[in-house]
Structure formats: C-alpha cells, structure tokens
Amino acid sequence: MKKTYIPKLDDLLGGGILEGVSIMFCAYPGVDCEAFGYQMLNGRVEDGDRGFIFTNVAEPETIQYEFNSYGWNLESFIDSEKVFFVDGSSSFLGAPSESKYTIQDYAEVEDVILDAINDIPKGIGIINNLSVLIDYMGNGDTIDIIKNWNQKAKENETTLVYIFTEWDYDTGLIQKIKESMDCVVDLTTIEERVIIGQGFMVARASWTEPVETMVLFFVVQPGGVKVYVPKILVTGPYNSGKSSFVKAITTESVSVDRKALGAFPTTIAMDIGHVDYKGFLADVFGTPGQERFDLILNVLSKEAVGAFIMVDSTAPKTFARAKEMIRKTRAEAIPKIIVANKQDLPDALSPEEIREKMKLKKDIPIIPAVVTEKKGIEESLDALLKLLYGD
Amino acid sequence: MKLYESGVPGFDALLGDVGGIPENTVNLLYGPPKVGKSIFCYQFMYNGLLQEEPCLFITADYGLKELQQRTMDFNWFIQTHMQQQNLYVIDLLSRLSGKKLEDSANYKISSLQNPTDMMVKVGTGTRAVFQKSTKFRSVFDSLTVQFAFNPDHLVLRVLKAYINRIKEARGIAIITHTEGTVESKIEDYLKNTVDNVIYLDGNNITIEATEETQEVKAPYTIDDNGISIG
Amino acid sequence: MILRIPSGIPGFDVLTSGDGVGGIPENTVTLVYGPPKVGKSIFCYHFMYNGLLQGEPCLYITSDYGLKQFQQNTRDFGWELDNYFQDETLCLIDAISSVSGSKIVDTPTYLSSSVHNPTDIMVKLGVGTRFISQKSARFRSVLDSLTTLMAFNQEMLIVRVLTAYIMRIKEDGGTAVVTYTEGSADSKVETMLKAVVDNVIHLDGNEITIEAMVGTGKKKSSYEITDSGITVGE
C-alpha cells in the first residue's frame, strides 16, 4: 500500500491506496482541489518515487511557484529528474516550454500521457485538470481515454490522480467518469449563503469499504491540506447569530484561521476559531443551518465534546428547526447549551417561554444573550464548562 | 428587500417605480466593442463603494494597474477602497505579463485558463465582501477574453457557478460581454442565464423585456463623469 | 487627465485633440484596421519614426516585410533607420525573412523569428521588450500585422498571443499599434480584436475614422498618402 499524504485520508481508505490505482478528487466549484494532487505528488516524491504533472490550466512556472508557496520544492525534483511536466498549457498561450513533454494539440494528449505513465513505473501522475479536457475532447472520447490511461497505469503500477471540477455536467457523464476510477474523493463546500468551510469524503474505493465520514479541511500556504477537528460546535437555524457567537467566544491570537492568514492568505477561510477560556482550550466550528448540511452536523458531533445551539428569541417559527438540529447533531449525547439570542429586541421570548415552546428538559441550560453586545457570552461558556467539569 | 443604486444617472429611473436594482439580480451588459460597458461597471462599483457596499470585481480585460488607471480617468479612486478591503479584485490577466506578482488579502491573481482556481477565489471573495456587508456588489468584466482562452461550454459552466455563488449570498452582479464574439446560440444562452439583459450600442441603452417588464430604451452619453442616461 | 503621445502623422493629433493635446493615449494599444493597401503599415512607420526622433525607443514586429523591404519602405518616405539600429533604440523582430529563406544574423536589435512559430515570436518579444523597456520608461511598439500571423496559425491562438503581448507592453509602460486587414479573419475573431485593444482606428483609403479612443469621441476625416507619408485632413 502507498500513502496518500493527505491527513486522515489513509484512515478512510483502509490504510492507503493500492499500487496502480486511479484516484479522482471531484470538487464542487469553489473548493480548493489542486492542492490535493500536488500534496500527494510531493509526499510520494519525497519518499523516493518519481512523478509527472500534466497541466492544461497553468504554465509549469506558475505551478512551481504554487509548490513554493506550500513550502514544497518542486524545482529540485525537476532538476534531479524525479518529476517532469506534461505541458498542455504553454503552447496554447504561445509561450515557450522547457518541459519534457509539450502538447501542441489535444489530439496528442492521449498518447503523450501514455508515454509519461510508461516513464514512471510505480510512480505517480497528476492530471490537472480533467474537466478542461472534457470540454475540449468531447464526452465519449474523454471516457475512452481515461480508461486507456488507467489500464496503462495499472500495468505500470503507477498511481494516477485526477483533479476534476464538477461543473454542471450531465449527471450521466459524471457517473461514467466516476465509475472509470478506482477511487473517488468528493470535495464539497459547506455554505451558509457564502462558503464557510470545506470537507472531503471518500465516495468509493475499489479495494475497501471506505469509512463514511466527512473530514473538514482547509488549505494553508505554507503547509497544504490541513484537517480540522472541532471540539465545540455552534449551531442553530439561519440568522440566529452563529457567526457572531463564534467570533465572540474565540480568541483571535490563537485562531488557526488567523494564524494561517498571517503567514500567507489562506485560499479559503472558515467559520472556525479557538476558545481559550479559564484554562479550557478547544477548536470551534460554526455549522450552517440548512438541512442539506445535516450530515456534517451528524459527523462532526461524533468528535465534539460540547455544543452551543443558538436560537433567535424573536423567531419561534424557527424553534422546531432548532429542536431538529439538536437531534441531528446527536447533541442529546453531548453537553449542550441553548443560547437565547437577541434578547434586546422587544418581541423576544424569555428563556422560560422558549423552554416551554421547545419542550426542553430542565437540565438543559438556556442562557439569555445579546451576542452583538457581547452579553451572555461568558455566561454561556461558564455554563458549558460547568456541564463538562462540574462546579 | 434590498435595493441597489446603479450610480449611473438616469438608469434607476428606467427601471420604473422600484427606483433601483433589487437584490439577487444578475445583469448581463452586452453590446459591440467600445460602447462603455466597462465604464458602466466602474461607475456601478464605485457608487457602491461610496455607500459602504463592498464589491467583488473580476477583471479579465485589464490588469489591476490598468483598472486603477482607467477608473482614475473619471476621478474614481479605488486605491483607498482596496486598502479598506471594501474592494476585492480577482485579476485574471496580469499573470500574462510574465511578471512575478504578489497576492494580498483582497487582491488575488488567477488566470484566464484556470476556471477552477478562479472559482476558489470567487468563493473566498464573496465570503470576504459578504462579511463586510451583506449588501454587496459584484462585477465580472468581461466574458469576451474568457471565450478566447476556454471552450465555449466551459465558460458557460463557470458563469453558472459564479451566478450561483452571487445568488446564494443574495448579492447583485453585472457581467459584461462583447456582442458578436461567439456564436449566436451561445449569446442566447448567456441572455437566458441572467435576470436582466441590458444592451449598449454606443448611442442607446436598452433594458430588454422580461416576463414581467417591457423593453425600455433611452439615449446615453459618456463624458468625464462617466455614463449618463437621457 | 489622459496623457497622449504624438503620432507623427500631420493632422492626426489635431483630429484627436479634444480640449487638450491630441495624439495617441499613452500606455494603450491601438488597432489600425481596414482593407488591403490603405496605409496601415505607413501609419505604423509614422508612429515608430516619430518616437525615435523624440528618443522613444521602439520594438517593431514585422510579419509582412522582411528587414530589407522594411528599410526600403521607410526610406521611400525619407526615414532612415540605420542610425537607430546602431544606437540600439530600434529593435526589429522579423517574422518573415526566415520563411523566404534569407539568413540574417541576429543582433541585439535584430531578432529573427517565424510567422509559423508564435511561441518563438513570444520568446523574442520577451527579449525585445526587456531590451527596449530598459532603454526608456516610455517606449513604443508596433505589431504589423496580425493578419499574416492569423493566416499561418489558428486565429484564436493569435488572439491569446495578442492578449499576452498587450499585457506585456502595457505592464512595461509602452504604447502600441497593431494592424489587421479587415475581413481576413472570422467576424467573431475580428470583433474580439476590437474588444481587446483600447483604441480602434479604421482606414479605408479615403477616410480615417477614430471608431474608439480613450477620452475621445468618434472622429472622422479625409486623409491622403504622399511621398512624405499620411496626411490627415486638408
């Protein structure tokens, strides 16, 4: 077995990937997916394997620059002939190329990549980007080409990594592409009106029954793909004040997000932070309120030690959803605090009225709060600490 | 419902009694080359900035340096708004200059032939402007060169992803396109993907009919203060 | 305030002057197009030569006339270029001589390339722009013509090459003129050309039309070609 060099991914794949398999990172538009391919290649080459990068989205120089920003030295790999480029970008722009292979015309791409695979038995090839290829080649051709590449890779025990952006293709086509791969890893966005996080999940792997879980990640420069496991969840219906609450309870100075931003802008930010309160340290994640993200709540709450459930005290209509979210987060099993936000508004219900409407047991604390005025923040944290550690 | 002032004198009145562009609206601004499409965009962006409405600006026809120069021709100074991080620029062109350029928190370099990377930056960009204010604007100027660097279908797919991103956040966007640079069926598709279609021909501005509204047309002129209608 | 540089064409700068000094807006790219043989190349020679006279170096890409013919063409109007090659303020990228088999040795100011090989043209462009822009912060460039490049290559590739060319020249502070023969490419490509440049000038043999120019409205005038080049207006 080979490692993927993506944190947590090997665990989900039963230890790693088999020799000669194809693996596709299938990204929803907006997810940073290129880093996954580059990180795999970097890890493998550092451990002695050889590799190539096919690019039709950036000139080799740009990719080298990107590797540098992650802290990986692609230049030395190229100088020592451990890695070479299959350059499908430069000639398209009329730019010169010093790569081992250059593609002048898309008609050549199939054969050139077959040659490249032949050059690196037991190595790793990155195809970035498969979606751009599809729109140039046509659907049917692309699938045949993928099959031939994967066949050749199998014979050579070469790992092939595809970067694929799931634009609005025909679902049948996407299905066929996925079926032609040994392994598919879905990269998705977690959104509440805007992207607030990214997660990966193994959709299929031919050699193992993958663990069905979603892993939160972010990409930092330097560093690459980092996994994030929050211990405290902040959840609640839309517009209940989650983001502001996360901001209010976390300390800026040690927030992972901020730290990464300081080093170099992260490619994607998340509603995450770090609590440092009375000696209690934990990572926090504000999860989106929409139903389509309930799966994430479920997954994340398995690792969480506590949860804040935000409710808008002026919007009793949303209480049913809040109650449902408590169930989905399996927060029944972990200590949880209800934060009754927006107590400053005239039509806000009192904590006891909320308890009655939501039919909550007496032992669940409901803390009145005005998050925008920082009221009830410390009380909420104290209440959670009390549940976790007693008095 | 949020209403946006276009900043183009006379334009909001053309929209009827509403008095502005409603939130969650994506507008296609198209016409022959050199009729003022970009100027319309700058005016729309700058007017928003003056009202603390941040803007996500994707520039595909001019690099940042030129964008600054071209807006300055109208005395619209975007530098301070960039410093205050109210303006978030995704620059698809400057990398072609062959120079090494540095990103910043709200200036991102991407490239014409890497739509995946552009969408990652649109993701961070919408988030950044949304956090500044939920009332934000976006401009995509223009699709024209995109079509020279990508297969037509891919440009349309990317456009759809961009529109979804803006609409999900209930923002407002203007997308520009040069008439006659792609096949007419692609142009038809573009028009069908957006909420409003605005046509500039050098003399007149036309807001094309929708299911609810009728076509309106008015003359426009361009001077040192930008575009004005009527 | 839009800075303009003189075109060197009698009458042209007056035509383009609004309230201030006319000429070609600095740090922009101008497309000069029209039917064959209406003076597009002559326009370019004016623009180049006027710059050289004022100490502004020029990077000239020729794909229609090789070095010898190019020098002969300018000499017809009394413009001698030898001195400028010698003092290294004129740099020529000759993309046609090699095609006809002439062998000319490259010098710092003469770079041979081929219309068949846009990649090589781009390489030489990089070399040439670096060389010229180091001479002066203000310089001119001419690309004459896109038509020939498009005849030998995929049209869309030339649009992409042009986009990169424009970006490079502008980033380094240059001002450029590019030419194109009307109707020689697909109409979609032709429209795209007009979209990617800043200014559009049409010549038809009798009339010059400023179809678009930064800070200038549409302008039209008659023009004629004599022994001393183009003259705009009466």
Side-chain angles (χ1 to χ4, degrees):
Chain A
M1 275 221 167
K2 295 272 188 187
K3 285 192 276 183
T4 60
Y5 301 89
I6 307 292
K8 270 275 194 185
L9 184 56
D10 292 341
D11 299 342
L12 305 188
L13 289 171
I17 53 172
L18 294 184
E19 310 269 346
V21 296
S22 50
I23 172 166
M24 177 167 88
F25 290 100
C26 181
Y28 187 79
V31 182
D32 208 335
C33 49
E34 295 181 316
F36 281 82
Y38 297 157
Q39 186 156 334
M40 279 186 76
L41 177 116
N42 182 67
R44 287 280 289 272
V45 177
E46 277 186 345
D47 279 356
D49 287 338
R50 298 176 63 209
F52 73 81
I53 300 171
F54 163 74
T55 169
N56 54 1
V57 293
E59 291 163 78
E61 218 181 25
T62 307
I63 294 178
Q64 283 197 23
Y65 184 75
E66 215 154 292
F67 266 75
N68 279 340
S69 71
Y70 290 123
W72 306 326
N73 195 343
L74 181 57
E75 212 175 329
S76 77
F77 295 161
I78 289 172
D79 290 345
S80 55
E81 293 183 2
K82 286 182 187 147
V83 175
F84 61 86
F85 274 104
V86 178
D87 183 352
S89 182
S90 297
S91 70
F92 179 77
L93 300 172
S97 178
E98 289 165 5
S99 303
K100 179 167 179 183
Y101 295 100
T102 50
I103 290 168
Q104 304 287 340
D105 187 312
Y106 269 98
E108 304 165 5
V109 76
E110 178 173 6
D111 290 340
V112 174
I113 288 186
L114 287 174
D115 288 345
I117 295 169
N118 257 336
D119 289 350
I120 50 155
K122 294 182 186 293
I124 179 168
I126 313 294
I127 310 288
N128 183 23
N129 179 288
L130 181 59
S131 8
V132 174
L133 208 60
I134 291 171
D135 279 306
Y136 275 111
M137 307 293 294
N139 304 346
D141 286 354
T142 314
I143 289 173
D144 289 342
I145 291 171
I146 293 172
K147 282 183 181 153
N148 292 340
W149 288 345
N150 288 351
Q151 181 57 38
K152 174 68 80 181
K154 201 139 279 167
E155 290 162 14
N156 274 279
E157 297 191 343
T158 304
T159 310
L160 272 191
V161 180
Y162 294 86
I163 306 297
F164 178 72
T165 309
E166 199 175 330
W167 308 106
D168 67 331
Y169 296 105
D170 175 72
T171 46
L173 172 69
I174 292 181
Q175 197 53 39
K176 272 192 192 146
I177 293 174
K178 288 185 172 177
E179 280 164 9
S180 62
M181 303 290 168
D182 294 308
C183 174
V184 176
V185 179
D186 285 326
L187 307 181
T188 58
T189 56
I190 300 161
E191 305 176 12
E192 186 151 82
R193 299 203 35 199
V194 292
I195 299 173
I196 59 174
Q198 317 180 90
F200 67 77
M201 189 171 189
V202 180
R204 58 187 295 249
S206 60
W207 62 91
T208 180
E209 194 59 52
V211 183
E212 237 186 275
T213 191
M214 181 175 286
V215 179
L216 283 184
F217 73 92
F218 52 96
V219 177
V220 289
Q221 294 167 316
V225 179
K226 299 281 177 195
V227 159
Y228 185 73
V229 185
K231 292 295 173 191
I232 307 265
L233 301 181
V234 176
T235 190
Y238 174 67
N239 206 23
S240 54
K242 297 180 294 283
S243 282
S244 320
F245 188 76
V246 170
K247 228 177 262 173
I249 62 169
T250 55
T251 39
E252 284 197 342
S253 56
V254 284
S255 148
V256 188
D257 199 21
R258 296 277 171 174
K259 232 195 297 185
L261 269 171
F264 197 90
T266 45
T267 43
I268 197 86
M270 292 208 287
D271 265 352
I272 60 176
H274 196 79
V275 171
D276 182 352
Y277 182 73
K278 295 184 179 171
F280 174 75
L281 301 167
D283 287 332
V284 182
F285 181 61
T287 72
Q290 297 118 298
E291 283 162 36
R292 64 188 162 112
F293 294 109
D294 283 355
L295 171 74
I296 307 165
L297 287 181
N298 198 331
V299 166
L300 293 178
S301 58
K302 286 178 190 159
E303 309 243 12
V305 299
F308 291 102
I309 290 105
M310 308 290 299
V311 293
D312 177 345
S313 309
T314 67
K317 271 191 223 153
T318 65
F319 292 175
R321 173 66 187 147
K323 183 92 194 226
E324 193 191 348
M325 289 177 79
I326 296 175
R327 214 170 37 244
K328 298 272 184 190
T329 59
R330 311 200 327 171
E332 301 282 4
I334 54 171
K336 58 190 167 291
I337 306 293
I338 312 291
V339 182
N341 195 15
K342 308 192 187 178
Q343 285 290 322
D344 56 327
L345 299 180
D347 48 349
L349 298 174
S350 73
E352 281 321 302
E353 286 170 315
I354 293 172
R355 185 185 301 281
E356 202 171 296
K357 284 219 188 260
M358 285 180 75
K359 298 193 177 62
L360 292 172
K361 287 187 213 141
K362 279 273 179 224
D363 58 347
I364 300 178
I366 302 183
I367 309 295
V370 186
V371 174
T372 50
E373 293 171 18
K374 309 253 183 253
K375 283 183 190 154
I377 307 289
E378 286 194 8
E379 291 81 350
S380 300
L381 281 166
D382 286 334
L384 184 69
L385 287 187
K386 195 174 163 195
L387 283 185
L388 285 171
Y389 302 115
D391 285 314
Chain B
M1 184 155 75
K2 295 185 294 251
L3 274 184
Y4 291 78
E5 267 179 37
S6 65
V8 176
F11 182 81
D12 297 350
L14 286 185
L15 296 169
D17 301 334
V18 203
I21 311 170
E23 66 174 28
N24 217 3
T25 316
V26 173
N27 305 278
L28 176 72
L29 184 62
Y30 83 113
K34 313 287 166 237
V35 293
K37 299 184 292 292
S38 293
I39 299 172
F40 192 107
C41 294
Y42 304 155
Q43 211 162 340
F44 169 79
M45 160 197 70
Y46 197 69
N47 185 263
L49 292 175
L50 291 179
Q51 304 180 54
E52 302 280 316
E53 291 165 20
C55 185
L56 169 69
F57 199 108
I58 306 172
T59 177
D61 287 4
Y62 305 98
L64 175 66
K65 204 176 116 188
E66 255 201 298
L67 182 67
Q68 286 172 328
Q69 184 56 52
R70 289 172 53 91
T71 46
M72 215 186 291
D73 288 345
F74 297 96
N75 287 318
W76 301 327
F77 300 96
I78 59 174
Q79 191 55 39
T80 45
H81 299 280
M82 285 207 73
Q83 279 157 7
Q84 290 161 1
Q85 306 201 352
N86 276 327
L87 177 58
Y88 190 107
V89 176
I90 302 174
D91 181 342
L92 302 185
L93 208 63
S94 286
R95 192 172 268 157
L96 280 179
S97 74
K99 292 233 161 73
K100 285 266 174 292
L101 301 153
E102 289 282 336
D103 278 7
S104 76
N106 58 324
Y107 172 62
K108 303 288 177 193
I109 296 154
S110 188
S111 32
L112 287 161
Q113 77 274 28
N114 193 350
T116 295
D117 183 64
M118 183 193 94
M119 273 313 292
V120 170
K121 280 148 190 171
V122 167
T124 25
T126 36
R127 183 187 149 93
V129 291
F130 184 84
Q131 285 186 333
K132 280 267 175 183
S133 166
T134 54
K135 192 176 182 190
F136 72 95
R137 307 180 180 211
S138 182
V139 170
F140 193 158
D141 182 37
S142 72
L143 293 177
T144 314
V145 191
Q146 294 271 318
F147 283 112
F149 282 76
N150 293 286
D152 293 352
H153 287 285
L154 186 56
V155 177
L156 299 180
R157 296 184 206 288
V158 177
L159 183 67
K160 229 168 153 181
Y162 165 74
I163 291 175
N164 286 343
R165 184 61 55 228
I166 299 300
K167 291 210 147 195
E168 192 73 37
R170 269 175 241 143
I172 175 177
I174 294 185
I175 299 159
T176 62
H177 169 69
T178 309
E179 184 184 22
T181 52
V182 289
E183 282 171 43
S184 60
K185 64 172 198 282
I186 302 283
E187 254 160 39
D188 290 343
Y189 182 94
L190 284 180
K191 292 186 201 174
N192 288 328
T193 315
V194 298
D195 304 297
N196 277 319
V197 179
I198 305 164
Y199 182 70
L200 295 181
D201 69 0
N203 300 308
N204 289 298
I205 182 166
T206 309
I207 302 172
E208 296 186 358
T210 65
E211 276 175 25
E212 294 97 43
T213 58
Q214 301 214 311
E215 179 189 294
V216 277
K217 192 172 177 178
Y220 73 94
T221 52
I222 304 175
D223 62 18
D224 293 349
N225 300 314
I227 295 180
S228 48
I229 292 166
Chain C
M1 181 61 191
I2 295 158
L3 291 173
R4 290 169 191 273
I5 58 176
S7 61
I9 297 170
F12 180 89
D13 298 354
V14 177
L15 180 67
T16 52
S17 69
D19 40 4
V21 185
I24 290 174
E26 190 177 28
N27 209 208
T28 63
V29 174
T30 302
L31 174 73
V32 175
Y33 81 112
K37 309 282 167 224
V38 294
K40 299 186 293 294
S41 293
I42 304 173
F43 189 106
C44 298
Y45 303 151
H46 269 292
F47 175 71
M48 161 192 69
Y49 194 71
N50 179 270
L52 293 173
L53 286 178
Q54 304 187 51
E56 288 174 29
C58 185
L59 173 67
Y60 203 109
I61 303 105
T62 175
S63 60
D64 289 355
Y65 306 104
L67 175 65
K68 287 205 176 105
Q69 184 67 48
F70 173 71
Q71 283 186 294
Q72 185 54 52
N73 288 355
T74 54
R75 197 169 291 136
D76 287 347
F77 300 105
W79 303 327
E80 285 294 340
L81 299 177
D82 284 345
N83 286 341
Y84 299 104
F85 277 122
Q86 268 158 28
D87 73 7
E88 299 189 335
T89 50
L90 174 59
C91 176
L92 188 74
I93 299 174
D94 179 348
I96 196 73
S97 292
S98 68
V99 179
S100 59
S102 328
K103 289 216 164 47
I104 305 171
V105 183
D106 276 15
T107 68
T109 53
Y110 177 81
L111 306 167
S112 176
S113 190
S114 164
V115 287
H116 292 290
N117 192 348
T119 300
D120 185 63
I121 296 179
M122 283 304 285
V123 173
K124 303 284 156 67
L125 256 172
V127 175
T129 325
R130 258 195 307 281
F131 187 79
I132 287 297
S133 64
Q134 275 166 10
K135 296 262 166 194
S136 165
R138 177 184 278 190
F139 69 96
R140 304 187 182 195
S141 182
V142 171
L143 171 51
D144 181 31
S145 69
L146 290 167
T147 309
T148 320
L149 294 180
M150 285 186 177
F152 285 93
N153 299 282
Q154 225 196 352
E155 291 175 355
M156 268 311 170
L157 172 62
I158 299 307
V159 174
R160 294 192 287 269
V161 166
L162 176 67
T163 311
Y165 166 76
I166 290 175
M167 203 56 218
R168 286 187 177 207
I169 296 294
K170 284 192 190 171
E171 191 65 31
D172 282 329
T175 304
V177 170
V178 299
T179 67
Y180 164 76
T181 307
E182 191 173 9
S184 63
D186 181 282
S187 73
K188 296 195 286 288
V189 173
E190 191 166 314
T191 311
M192 214 174 258
L193 290 182
K194 293 182 194 173
V196 299
V197 298
D198 301 288
N199 315 308
V200 182
I201 297 174
H202 185 254
L203 299 179
D204 71 359
N206 301 308
E207 274 191 329
I208 178 169
T209 311
I210 316 288
E211 293 187 345
M213 184 172 278
V214 180
T216 313
K218 272 198 180 167
K219 298 279 166 71
K220 206 182 240 189
S221 176
S222 59
Y223 74 97
E224 56 176 5
I225 300 171
T226 65
D227 292 350
S228 47
I230 297 175
T231 313
V232 172
E234 299 310 315

